Amino acid sequence: MAPSDTAAPALPLARLLAHAADAVAAVRGGRSLTEAIAAVPLPARAGAQAVSFHAMRALGGALAVREIVAPKAPPPAVEALLLVALALLWPPEPPAAPPYADHTLVDQAVRAARQRTPGAAGFVNAVLRRFLREREALVAAARRQPQGAYNHPAWWISRLKADWPVQWQALLHAANRRAPMTLRVNARRGDAVGYVRRLAAQGRDAAAVGAHAVVLREPCAVGALPGFADGDVSVQDAAAQLAAPLLLGGVATLGDTPAVTLPAGARVLDACAAPGGKTAHLLELAELDLIALDHDALRLARVDETLRRLGLRAELRAGDAGDPAAWWDGRAFDAILLDAPCTASGIVRRHPDVRWLRRAGDVASLARQQARLLDALWRLLKPGGRLLYATCSLFRAEGQAQIDAFLQRQPAGTARVDPASPGHLLPLPDNDPQAIAPAADPDGFYYALLQRP
């Protein structure tokens, strides 16, 4: 489940700016925003998270302005505070009321600087006041650089442009929207229409999408969801909810129960299972002999927690999916889900730090890892079995190009792509309604359902 950037209780802004600056500095140093926010004291965590998310979405413009106004970079802690403040002062798109009044933000940023690095307070004050005086010109200058125009690294922009020459700009703009909070109602316990009524009784507006998917108008803490602790519902993006129906029935229909075409008690492997959302969805829809595998034993514990909350059972194994000899018992599988490690370029709305953490070389490195996993797991399928390859990526190297290369490595007639495979799902309003419900506003994903004759 992605961290939230919902509104938080009011705390002194200077304090939130300081915590957000620490988080931005951590991301620029290679740590995830999730990890950085977890280190913030609990009373300030939600507020610091909301400010940090905002800063991540406007970081490209803020960096470009800082380089114009202060060509010599200040110390990392001071620069991070400046970047957070500049991001909050950045003109919102589409135009909207700013999160804080300009004078309040500058005053509180200077106060945060004085509390943390007293000698930098004057510098921070001067930079921010110059930005306010020359905002229109400085924003225009920043937007002449790709990073400033689209708030993504230049290499990322170039790759999207090459992969999606028509949609690339829309994809970049979409990545800076807030993602909807989408729920999956446990099919063993209820349906979407009934759960929407439960939400309405709490005063929460939501819409049912299909039989078991629900989209909230406004996100909320999971603890506020009726029946969450009892396993009635889970948080799962619309695109991720396609994995189980595709693997079980070869259909890409959001929110509906598929006609399961696997044999009774089918032996199924979820090869990269953590944190367990797709594992649980499979078990909610069918009675399976399921193994949930993950290379990280600590992450596998999260799968166990998820299954316990939902009242489901699977066999949990820790191991490298690319090295079956270390964990496989030799019995072939009817179906395998490979939700492969990837750049996560399709879920930037939920994890806005991803674009700043990844490097251009990561795409090729991850593509090699995906190919290794595909080749290893394909050998574990029974004749007539199916393997669902999935990534939450927009990059073709991790999607269609990966599957094209896999098919070329197989002897003729030994592997094919099921026609029901959605391929690349793009987080755009005009998604193919036959593949996924546009109203659900899904993340970017890639799916290929591979059949073994």
Side-chain angles (χ1 to χ4, degrees):
M1 183 174 61
S4 170
D5 55 351
T6 56
L11 285 170
L13 180 54
R15 182 179 173 191
L16 297 183
L17 292 174
H19 287 310
D22 288 343
V24 169
V27 170
R28 300 195 73 208
R31 290 170 57 203
S32 75
L33 186 57
T34 301
E35 180 184 352
I37 292 298
V40 175
L42 193 58
R45 189 173 299 166
Q49 183 166 278
V51 173
S52 299
F53 268 57
H54 191 115
M56 288 290 107
R57 292 185 177 119
L59 188 61
L63 278 165
V65 166
R66 198 280 299 156
E67 290 168 358
I68 294 168
V69 176
K72 183 178 179 181
V78 177
E79 183 181 33
L81 179 60
L82 263 182
L83 293 174
V84 169
L86 288 168
L88 290 170
L89 291 168
W90 192 261
E93 295 179 7
Y100 304 99
D102 291 350
H103 68 277
T104 300
L105 183 59
V106 172
D107 174 74
Q108 294 296 297
V110 171
R111 180 172 299 185
R114 188 175 294 118
Q115 292 169 351
R116 294 259 177 131
T117 314
F123 172 74
V124 169
N125 183 60
V127 169
L128 295 181
R129 291 193 180 279
R130 180 183 169 187
F131 179 72
L132 290 181
R133 289 195 306 270
E134 305 173 26
R135 177 156 39 191
E136 185 175 345
L138 287 171
V139 167
R143 285 176 172 161
R144 285 194 283 272
Q145 305 174 28
Q147 181 170 289
Y150 296 105
N151 283 302
H152 283 73
W155 72 265
W156 187 296
I157 297 168
S158 296
R159 181 171 282 274
L160 271 188
K161 189 174 182 179
D163 282 353
W164 304 103
V166 175
Q167 303 98 329
W168 67 277
Q169 290 174 300
L171 289 169
L172 291 166
H173 288 305
N176 281 323
R177 300 197 316 260
R178 290 187 177 188
M181 186 170 183
T182 307
L183 310 178
R184 185 191 76 242
V185 179
N186 187 340
R188 294 174 180 256
R189 293 173 175 264
D191 59 28
V193 172
Y195 196 76
V196 167
R197 286 198 292 266
R198 294 174 69 181
L199 290 167
Q202 287 189 339
R204 300 189 188 280
D205 192 9
V209 182
H212 296 106
V214 173
V215 180
L216 291 172
R217 182 176 295 277
E218 293 293 337
C220 67
V222 294
L225 294 171
F228 180 84
D230 299 325
D232 294 349
V233 69
S234 299
V235 179
Q236 188 179 42
D237 179 73
Q241 289 190 43
L242 294 180
L246 271 167
L247 188 65
L248 294 174
V251 294
T253 304
L254 176 64
D256 288 337
T257 303
V260 177
T261 57
L262 294 176
R267 183 168 165 81
V268 176
L269 172 68
D270 186 348
C272 301
K278 297 180 183 69
T279 309
H281 196 191
L282 287 166
L283 293 169
E284 289 171 5
L285 297 177
E287 296 293 339
L288 305 170
D289 175 12
L290 192 148
I291 294 175
L293 178 76
D294 202 88
H295 75 283
D296 188 332
L298 292 177
R299 283 172 52 82
L300 202 59
R302 293 184 61 192
V303 180
D304 185 53
E305 292 171 5
T306 297
L307 296 181
R308 286 178 182 273
R309 180 178 65 82
L310 295 167
L312 302 169
R313 296 182 63 184
E315 181 182 347
L316 306 184
R317 292 186 188 177
D320 176 5
D323 182 20
W327 54 266
W328 186 46
D329 60 9
R331 291 188 294 152
F333 295 97
D334 295 289
I336 295 174
L337 170 60
L338 172 55
D339 187 7
C342 69
T343 57
S345 55
I347 58 172
V348 174
R349 297 183 305 172
R350 300 180 191 279
H351 298 277
D353 54 323
V354 164
R355 73 194 94 175
W356 307 114
L357 290 170
R358 293 297 184 197
R359 299 293 179 263
D362 291 345
V363 180
S365 175
L366 285 161
R368 288 192 294 271
Q369 185 177 356
Q370 293 152 10
R372 169 179 170 266
L373 294 173
L374 268 169
D375 289 346
L377 294 173
W378 184 248
R379 296 192 292 270
L380 311 188
L381 273 181
K382 292 179 181 177
R386 62 184 71 155
L387 184 153
L388 180 63
Y389 172 79
T391 61
C392 53
S393 177
L394 300 177
F395 300 143
R396 289 187 181 274
E398 301 182 284
Q400 192 60 55
Q402 181 69 256
I403 294 303
D404 289 344
F406 169 78
L407 293 173
Q408 289 176 6
R409 293 195 298 273
Q410 308 312 309
T414 62
R416 69 179 183 90
V417 177
D418 190 288
S421 300
H424 283 280
L425 296 171
L426 304 181
L428 296 171
D430 58 349
N431 264 325
D432 180 357
Q434 293 183 336
I436 195 165
D441 193 10
D443 287 338
F445 251 79
Y446 175 83
Y447 284 113
L449 183 61
L450 299 164
Q451 299 279 0
R452 184 168 203 163

mmCIF file of all heavy atoms in Angstrom, residues 63-105:
data_model
loop_
_atom_site.group_PDB
_atom_site.id
_atom_site.type_symbol
_atom_site.label_atom_id
_atom_site.label_comp_id
_atom_site.label_asym_id
_atom_site.label_seq_id
_atom_site.Cartn_x
_atom_site.Cartn_y
_atom_site.Cartn_z
ATOM 1 N N LEU A 63 14.634 22.571 -8.311
ATOM 2 C CA LEU A 63 16.074 22.405 -8.580
ATOM 3 C C LEU A 63 16.545 23.384 -9.652
ATOM 4 O O LEU A 63 17.610 23.996 -9.525
ATOM 5 C CB LEU A 63 16.356 20.972 -9.024
ATOM 6 C CG LEU A 63 16.491 19.925 -7.928
ATOM 7 C CD1 LEU A 63 16.392 18.520 -8.519
ATOM 8 C CD2 LEU A 63 17.812 20.099 -7.180
ATOM 9 N N ALA A 64 15.744 23.526 -10.704
ATOM 10 C CA ALA A 64 16.127 24.433 -11.789
ATOM 11 C C ALA A 64 16.215 25.871 -11.290
ATOM 12 O O ALA A 64 17.152 26.603 -11.641
ATOM 13 C CB ALA A 64 15.124 24.319 -12.929
ATOM 14 N N VAL A 65 15.271 26.293 -10.459
ATOM 15 C CA VAL A 65 15.304 27.658 -9.914
ATOM 16 C C VAL A 65 16.500 27.842 -8.991
ATOM 17 O O VAL A 65 17.190 28.871 -9.048
ATOM 18 C CB VAL A 65 13.984 27.969 -9.175
ATOM 19 C CG1 VAL A 65 14.132 29.226 -8.324
ATOM 20 C CG2 VAL A 65 12.852 28.148 -10.169
ATOM 21 N N ARG A 66 16.733 26.857 -8.131
ATOM 22 C CA ARG A 66 17.892 26.979 -7.225
ATOM 23 C C ARG A 66 19.182 27.154 -8.008
ATOM 24 O O ARG A 66 20.048 27.964 -7.664
ATOM 25 C CB ARG A 66 17.968 25.745 -6.319
ATOM 26 C CG ARG A 66 18.825 25.937 -5.075
ATOM 27 C CD ARG A 66 20.317 25.807 -5.321
ATOM 28 N NE ARG A 66 20.677 24.490 -5.820
ATOM 29 C CZ ARG A 66 21.765 24.248 -6.530
ATOM 30 N NH1 ARG A 66 22.586 25.234 -6.898
ATOM 31 N NH2 ARG A 66 22.046 23.033 -6.952
ATOM 32 N N GLU A 67 19.328 26.420 -9.115
ATOM 33 C CA GLU A 67 20.551 26.519 -9.918
ATOM 34 C C GLU A 67 20.678 27.885 -10.581
ATOM 35 O O GLU A 67 21.788 28.376 -10.796
ATOM 36 C CB GLU A 67 20.552 25.413 -10.975
ATOM 37 C CG GLU A 67 20.738 24.022 -10.377
ATOM 38 C CD GLU A 67 20.454 22.908 -11.371
ATOM 39 O OE1 GLU A 67 20.080 23.229 -12.532
ATOM 40 O OE2 GLU A 67 20.579 21.730 -10.995
ATOM 41 N N ILE A 68 19.546 28.517 -10.868
ATOM 42 C CA ILE A 68 19.584 29.859 -11.476
ATOM 43 C C ILE A 68 19.897 30.914 -10.426
ATOM 44 O O ILE A 68 20.763 31.785 -10.621
ATOM 45 C CB ILE A 68 18.228 30.176 -12.139
ATOM 46 C CG1 ILE A 68 17.981 29.243 -13.330
ATOM 47 C CG2 ILE A 68 18.178 31.639 -12.604
ATOM 48 C CD1 ILE A 68 16.561 29.293 -13.869
ATOM 49 N N VAL A 69 19.219 30.838 -9.296
ATOM 50 C CA VAL A 69 19.331 31.876 -8.266
ATOM 51 C C VAL A 69 20.602 31.716 -7.431
ATOM 52 O O VAL A 69 21.205 32.705 -7.010
ATOM 53 C CB VAL A 69 18.080 31.845 -7.364
ATOM 54 C CG1 VAL A 69 18.198 32.846 -6.219
ATOM 55 C CG2 VAL A 69 16.839 32.129 -8.183
ATOM 56 N N ALA A 70 20.991 30.468 -7.178
ATOM 57 C CA ALA A 70 22.179 30.202 -6.358
ATOM 58 C C ALA A 70 23.007 29.135 -7.063
ATOM 59 O O ALA A 70 22.942 27.956 -6.700
ATOM 60 C CB ALA A 70 21.767 29.748 -4.961
ATOM 61 N N PRO A 71 23.784 29.521 -8.080
ATOM 62 C CA PRO A 71 24.530 28.529 -8.876
ATOM 63 C C PRO A 71 25.457 27.649 -8.050
ATOM 64 O O PRO A 71 25.678 26.488 -8.395
ATOM 65 C CB PRO A 71 25.305 29.395 -9.870
ATOM 66 C CG PRO A 71 24.527 30.667 -9.955
ATOM 67 C CD PRO A 71 23.961 30.893 -8.601
ATOM 68 N N LYS A 72 25.999 28.199 -6.990
ATOM 69 C CA LYS A 72 26.843 27.393 -6.108
ATOM 70 C C LYS A 72 25.941 26.746 -5.068
ATOM 71 O O LYS A 72 25.331 27.436 -4.238
ATOM 72 C CB LYS A 72 27.898 28.256 -5.424
ATOM 73 C CG LYS A 72 28.857 27.459 -4.551
ATOM 74 C CD LYS A 72 29.917 28.350 -3.919
ATOM 75 C CE LYS A 72 30.855 27.534 -3.031
ATOM 76 N NZ LYS A 72 31.887 28.398 -2.387
ATOM 77 N N ALA A 73 25.858 25.432 -5.091
ATOM 78 C CA ALA A 73 24.926 24.732 -4.211
ATOM 79 C C ALA A 73 25.292 24.940 -2.749
ATOM 80 O O ALA A 73 26.460 24.805 -2.368
ATOM 81 C CB ALA A 73 24.919 23.246 -4.528
ATOM 82 N N PRO A 74 24.318 25.279 -1.902
ATOM 83 C CA PRO A 74 24.567 25.367 -0.466
ATOM 84 C C PRO A 74 24.726 23.978 0.139
ATOM 85 O O PRO A 74 24.541 22.968 -0.563
ATOM 86 C CB PRO A 74 23.310 26.066 0.053
ATOM 87 C CG PRO A 74 22.246 25.679 -0.907
ATOM 88 C CD PRO A 74 22.919 25.564 -2.247
ATOM 89 N N PRO A 75 25.056 23.862 1.416
ATOM 90 C CA PRO A 75 25.137 22.543 2.061
ATOM 91 C C PRO A 75 23.829 21.769 1.879
ATOM 92 O O PRO A 75 22.752 22.372 1.777
ATOM 93 C CB PRO A 75 25.377 22.889 3.539
ATOM 94 C CG PRO A 75 26.024 24.232 3.506
ATOM 95 C CD PRO A 75 25.414 24.955 2.338
ATOM 96 N N PRO A 76 23.893 20.440 1.821
ATOM 97 C CA PRO A 76 22.702 19.629 1.510
ATOM 98 C C PRO A 76 21.484 19.929 2.380
ATOM 99 O O PRO A 76 20.363 19.985 1.871
ATOM 100 C CB PRO A 76 23.195 18.190 1.705
ATOM 101 C CG PRO A 76 24.656 18.264 1.411
ATOM 102 C CD PRO A 76 25.111 19.595 1.923
ATOM 103 N N ALA A 77 21.685 20.132 3.681
ATOM 104 C CA ALA A 77 20.541 20.381 4.560
ATOM 105 C C ALA A 77 19.862 21.701 4.217
ATOM 106 O O ALA A 77 18.627 21.807 4.223
ATOM 107 C CB ALA A 77 20.987 20.371 6.015
ATOM 108 N N VAL A 78 20.663 22.708 3.902
ATOM 109 C CA VAL A 78 20.114 24.019 3.546
ATOM 110 C C VAL A 78 19.436 23.942 2.180
ATOM 111 O O VAL A 78 18.344 24.476 1.979
ATOM 112 C CB VAL A 78 21.230 25.092 3.546
ATOM 113 C CG1 VAL A 78 20.676 26.444 3.096
ATOM 114 C CG2 VAL A 78 21.860 25.192 4.926
ATOM 115 N N GLU A 79 20.087 23.263 1.238
ATOM 116 C CA GLU A 79 19.492 23.128 -0.093
ATOM 117 C C GLU A 79 18.153 22.402 -0.021
ATOM 118 O O GLU A 79 17.181 22.785 -0.683
ATOM 119 C CB GLU A 79 20.431 22.394 -1.041
ATOM 120 C CG GLU A 79 19.854 22.296 -2.455
ATOM 121 C CD GLU A 79 20.756 21.551 -3.415
ATOM 122 O OE1 GLU A 79 21.454 20.617 -2.977
ATOM 123 O OE2 GLU A 79 20.741 21.889 -4.599
ATOM 124 N N ALA A 80 18.080 21.347 0.787
ATOM 125 C CA ALA A 80 16.837 20.595 0.901
ATOM 126 C C ALA A 80 15.707 21.474 1.428
ATOM 127 O O ALA A 80 14.577 21.417 0.938
ATOM 128 C CB ALA A 80 17.034 19.375 1.799
ATOM 129 N N LEU A 81 15.997 22.308 2.409
ATOM 130 C CA LEU A 81 14.981 23.216 2.937
ATOM 131 C C LEU A 81 14.548 24.215 1.869
ATOM 132 O O LEU A 81 13.342 24.495 1.704
ATOM 133 C CB LEU A 81 15.511 23.942 4.170
ATOM 134 C CG LEU A 81 14.556 24.943 4.824
ATOM 135 C CD1 LEU A 81 13.280 24.254 5.293
ATOM 136 C CD2 LEU A 81 15.245 25.655 5.990
ATOM 137 N N LEU A 82 15.507 24.738 1.129
ATOM 138 C CA LEU A 82 15.187 25.657 0.039
ATOM 139 C C LEU A 82 14.302 24.982 -1.000
ATOM 140 O O LEU A 82 13.325 25.564 -1.482
ATOM 141 C CB LEU A 82 16.474 26.137 -0.645
ATOM 142 C CG LEU A 82 17.068 27.471 -0.231
ATOM 143 C CD1 LEU A 82 18.306 27.754 -1.067
ATOM 144 C CD2 LEU A 82 16.054 28.599 -0.389
ATOM 145 N N LEU A 83 14.635 23.748 -1.367
ATOM 146 C CA LEU A 83 13.872 23.035 -2.386
ATOM 147 C C LEU A 83 12.435 22.800 -1.935
ATOM 148 O O LEU A 83 11.493 22.929 -2.725
ATOM 149 C CB LEU A 83 14.550 21.709 -2.721
ATOM 150 C CG LEU A 83 15.910 21.820 -3.412
ATOM 151 C CD1 LEU A 83 16.544 20.447 -3.560
ATOM 152 C CD2 LEU A 83 15.782 22.488 -4.774
ATOM 153 N N VAL A 84 12.248 22.455 -0.674
ATOM 154 C CA VAL A 84 10.893 22.250 -0.158
ATOM 155 C C VAL A 84 10.100 23.552 -0.246
ATOM 156 O O VAL A 84 8.952 23.581 -0.715
ATOM 157 C CB VAL A 84 10.935 21.734 1.295
ATOM 158 C CG1 VAL A 84 9.544 21.769 1.920
ATOM 159 C CG2 VAL A 84 11.499 20.313 1.332
ATOM 160 N N ALA A 85 10.716 24.653 0.193
ATOM 161 C CA ALA A 85 10.014 25.937 0.167
ATOM 162 C C ALA A 85 9.717 26.383 -1.268
ATOM 163 O O ALA A 85 8.613 26.856 -1.571
ATOM 164 C CB ALA A 85 10.848 26.991 0.902
ATOM 165 N N LEU A 86 10.683 26.226 -2.166
ATOM 166 C CA LEU A 86 10.461 26.608 -3.565
ATOM 167 C C LEU A 86 9.370 25.761 -4.204
ATOM 168 O O LEU A 86 8.556 26.257 -4.992
ATOM 169 C CB LEU A 86 11.765 26.477 -4.353
ATOM 170 C CG LEU A 86 12.841 27.532 -4.061
ATOM 171 C CD1 LEU A 86 14.173 27.123 -4.679
ATOM 172 C CD2 LEU A 86 12.407 28.905 -4.584
ATOM 173 N N ALA A 87 9.342 24.485 -3.876
ATOM 174 C CA ALA A 87 8.299 23.608 -4.421
ATOM 175 C C ALA A 87 6.918 24.050 -3.950
ATOM 176 O O ALA A 87 5.944 24.025 -4.714
ATOM 177 C CB ALA A 87 8.565 22.162 -4.008
ATOM 178 N N LEU A 88 6.813 24.468 -2.695
ATOM 179 C CA LEU A 88 5.530 24.918 -2.174
ATOM 180 C C LEU A 88 5.116 26.265 -2.761
ATOM 181 O O LEU A 88 3.928 26.595 -2.807
ATOM 182 C CB LEU A 88 5.588 25.005 -0.653
ATOM 183 C CG LEU A 88 5.674 23.648 0.072
ATOM 184 C CD1 LEU A 88 5.976 23.860 1.548
ATOM 185 C CD2 LEU A 88 4.382 22.864 -0.082
ATOM 186 N N LEU A 89 6.101 27.068 -3.195
ATOM 187 C CA LEU A 89 5.816 28.356 -3.824
ATOM 188 C C LEU A 89 5.605 28.233 -5.333
ATOM 189 O O LEU A 89 5.222 29.200 -5.994
ATOM 190 C CB LEU A 89 6.974 29.331 -3.561
ATOM 191 C CG LEU A 89 7.143 29.805 -2.110
ATOM 192 C CD1 LEU A 89 8.478 30.515 -1.946
ATOM 193 C CD2 LEU A 89 5.994 30.707 -1.688
ATOM 194 N N TRP A 90 5.867 27.055 -5.879
ATOM 195 C CA TRP A 90 5.767 26.838 -7.317
ATOM 196 C C TRP A 90 4.307 26.951 -7.763
ATOM 197 O O TRP A 90 3.416 26.435 -7.096
ATOM 198 C CB TRP A 90 6.306 25.449 -7.660
ATOM 199 C CG TRP A 90 6.525 25.207 -9.120
ATOM 200 C CD1 TRP A 90 5.695 24.545 -9.972
ATOM 201 C CD2 TRP A 90 7.648 25.616 -9.896
ATOM 202 N NE1 TRP A 90 6.233 24.511 -11.234
ATOM 203 C CE2 TRP A 90 7.433 25.165 -11.218
ATOM 204 C CE3 TRP A 90 8.812 26.316 -9.599
ATOM 205 C CZ2 TRP A 90 8.337 25.397 -12.237
ATOM 206 C CZ3 TRP A 90 9.723 26.549 -10.614
ATOM 207 C CH2 TRP A 90 9.484 26.094 -11.921
ATOM 208 N N PRO A 91 4.025 27.606 -8.890
ATOM 209 C CA PRO A 91 2.636 27.750 -9.334
ATOM 210 C C PRO A 91 1.994 26.384 -9.588
ATOM 211 O O PRO A 91 2.521 25.590 -10.374
ATOM 212 C CB PRO A 91 2.752 28.553 -10.641
ATOM 213 C CG PRO A 91 4.087 29.220 -10.566
ATOM 214 C CD PRO A 91 4.969 28.303 -9.782
ATOM 215 N N PRO A 92 0.883 26.085 -8.941
ATOM 216 C CA PRO A 92 0.261 24.761 -9.123
ATOM 217 C C PRO A 92 -0.369 24.632 -10.499
ATOM 218 O O PRO A 92 -0.772 25.618 -11.114
ATOM 219 C CB PRO A 92 -0.816 24.722 -8.032
ATOM 220 C CG PRO A 92 -1.134 26.160 -7.764
ATOM 221 C CD PRO A 92 0.137 26.920 -7.981
ATOM 222 N N GLU A 93 -0.397 23.377 -10.997
ATOM 223 C CA GLU A 93 -1.038 23.060 -12.282
ATOM 224 C C GLU A 93 -2.021 21.920 -12.068
ATOM 225 O O GLU A 93 -1.614 20.845 -11.621
ATOM 226 C CB GLU A 93 0.016 22.657 -13.312
ATOM 227 C CG GLU A 93 0.965 23.782 -13.680
ATOM 228 C CD GLU A 93 2.022 23.331 -14.691
ATOM 229 O OE1 GLU A 93 1.924 22.180 -15.189
ATOM 230 O OE2 GLU A 93 2.921 24.102 -14.970
ATOM 231 N N PRO A 94 -3.294 22.120 -12.386
ATOM 232 C CA PRO A 94 -3.909 23.368 -12.852
ATOM 233 C C PRO A 94 -3.923 24.409 -11.748
ATOM 234 O O PRO A 94 -3.745 24.068 -10.576
ATOM 235 C CB PRO A 94 -5.325 22.928 -13.244
ATOM 236 C CG PRO A 94 -5.590 21.745 -12.375
ATOM 237 C CD PRO A 94 -4.279 21.036 -12.242
ATOM 238 N N PRO A 95 -4.134 25.678 -12.091
ATOM 239 C CA PRO A 95 -4.118 26.729 -11.077
ATOM 240 C C PRO A 95 -5.060 26.425 -9.921
ATOM 241 O O PRO A 95 -6.178 25.955 -10.111
ATOM 242 C CB PRO A 95 -4.579 27.972 -11.863
ATOM 243 C CG PRO A 95 -4.202 27.676 -13.272
ATOM 244 C CD PRO A 95 -4.397 26.189 -13.440
ATOM 245 N N ALA A 96 -4.571 26.658 -8.718
ATOM 246 C CA ALA A 96 -5.358 26.384 -7.510
ATOM 247 C C ALA A 96 -4.826 27.259 -6.390
ATOM 248 O O ALA A 96 -3.758 27.871 -6.515
ATOM 249 C CB ALA A 96 -5.263 24.904 -7.137
ATOM 250 N N ALA A 97 -5.553 27.299 -5.301
ATOM 251 C CA ALA A 97 -5.090 28.067 -4.150
ATOM 252 C C ALA A 97 -3.802 27.446 -3.628
ATOM 253 O O ALA A 97 -3.697 26.222 -3.513
ATOM 254 C CB ALA A 97 -6.156 28.071 -3.069
ATOM 255 N N PRO A 98 -2.778 28.257 -3.316
ATOM 256 C CA PRO A 98 -1.523 27.699 -2.798
ATOM 257 C C PRO A 98 -1.738 27.066 -1.434
ATOM 258 O O PRO A 98 -2.666 27.441 -0.698
ATOM 259 C CB PRO A 98 -0.609 28.930 -2.707
ATOM 260 C CG PRO A 98 -1.548 30.089 -2.576
ATOM 261 C CD PRO A 98 -2.760 29.723 -3.368
ATOM 262 N N PRO A 99 -0.900 26.085 -1.065
ATOM 263 C CA PRO A 99 -1.088 25.421 0.233
ATOM 264 C C PRO A 99 -0.869 26.358 1.420
ATOM 265 O O PRO A 99 -1.458 26.163 2.473
ATOM 266 C CB PRO A 99 -0.056 24.286 0.200
ATOM 267 C CG PRO A 99 0.932 24.680 -0.837
ATOM 268 C CD PRO A 99 0.196 25.505 -1.840
ATOM 269 N N TYR A 100 0.008 27.365 1.239
ATOM 270 C CA TYR A 100 0.283 28.331 2.307
ATOM 271 C C TYR A 100 0.446 29.712 1.686
ATOM 272 O O TYR A 100 0.890 29.831 0.538
ATOM 273 C CB TYR A 100 1.568 27.973 3.074
ATOM 274 C CG TYR A 100 1.555 26.574 3.649
ATOM 275 C CD1 TYR A 100 2.213 25.526 2.993
ATOM 276 C CD2 TYR A 100 0.888 26.289 4.834
ATOM 277 C CE1 TYR A 100 2.201 24.242 3.509
ATOM 278 C CE2 TYR A 100 0.859 24.998 5.356
ATOM 279 C CZ TYR A 100 1.519 23.989 4.688
ATOM 280 O OH TYR A 100 1.496 22.713 5.200
ATOM 281 N N ALA A 101 0.116 30.732 2.445
ATOM 282 C CA ALA A 101 0.358 32.098 1.979
ATOM 283 C C ALA A 101 1.860 32.314 1.803
ATOM 284 O O ALA A 101 2.670 31.794 2.577
ATOM 285 C CB ALA A 101 -0.202 33.099 2.984
ATOM 286 N N ASP A 102 2.235 33.086 0.769
ATOM 287 C CA ASP A 102 3.653 33.288 0.454
ATOM 288 C C ASP A 102 4.439 33.803 1.651
ATOM 289 O O ASP A 102 5.512 33.279 1.988
ATOM 290 C CB ASP A 102 3.800 34.267 -0.713
ATOM 291 C CG ASP A 102 3.304 33.682 -2.027
ATOM 292 O OD1 ASP A 102 3.030 32.471 -2.080
ATOM 293 O OD2 ASP A 102 3.198 34.457 -3.000
ATOM 294 N N HIS A 103 3.917 34.854 2.296
ATOM 295 C CA HIS A 103 4.679 35.465 3.389
ATOM 296 C C HIS A 103 4.821 34.511 4.569
ATOM 297 O O HIS A 103 5.849 34.479 5.241
ATOM 298 C CB HIS A 103 4.018 36.780 3.836
ATOM 299 C CG HIS A 103 2.686 36.589 4.504
ATOM 300 N ND1 HIS A 103 1.516 36.436 3.797
ATOM 301 C CD2 HIS A 103 2.344 36.519 5.824
ATOM 302 C CE1 HIS A 103 0.512 36.291 4.644
ATOM 303 N NE2 HIS A 103 0.982 36.332 5.875
ATOM 304 N N THR A 104 3.771 33.705 4.812
ATOM 305 C CA THR A 104 3.838 32.720 5.896
ATOM 306 C C THR A 104 4.890 31.667 5.604
ATOM 307 O O THR A 104 5.693 31.298 6.474
ATOM 308 C CB THR A 104 2.467 32.046 6.075
ATOM 309 O OG1 THR A 104 1.497 33.030 6.402
ATOM 310 C CG2 THR A 104 2.522 30.988 7.167
ATOM 311 N N LEU A 105 4.911 31.185 4.372
ATOM 312 C CA LEU A 105 5.867 30.142 4.007
ATOM 313 C C LEU A 105 7.302 30.642 4.130
ATOM 314 O O LEU A 105 8.169 29.955 4.683
ATOM 315 C CB LEU A 105 5.590 29.668 2.585
ATOM 316 C CG LEU A 105 6.475 28.533 2.085
ATOM 317 C CD1 LEU A 105 6.332 27.312 2.973
ATOM 318 C CD2 LEU A 105 6.139 28.176 0.660
#
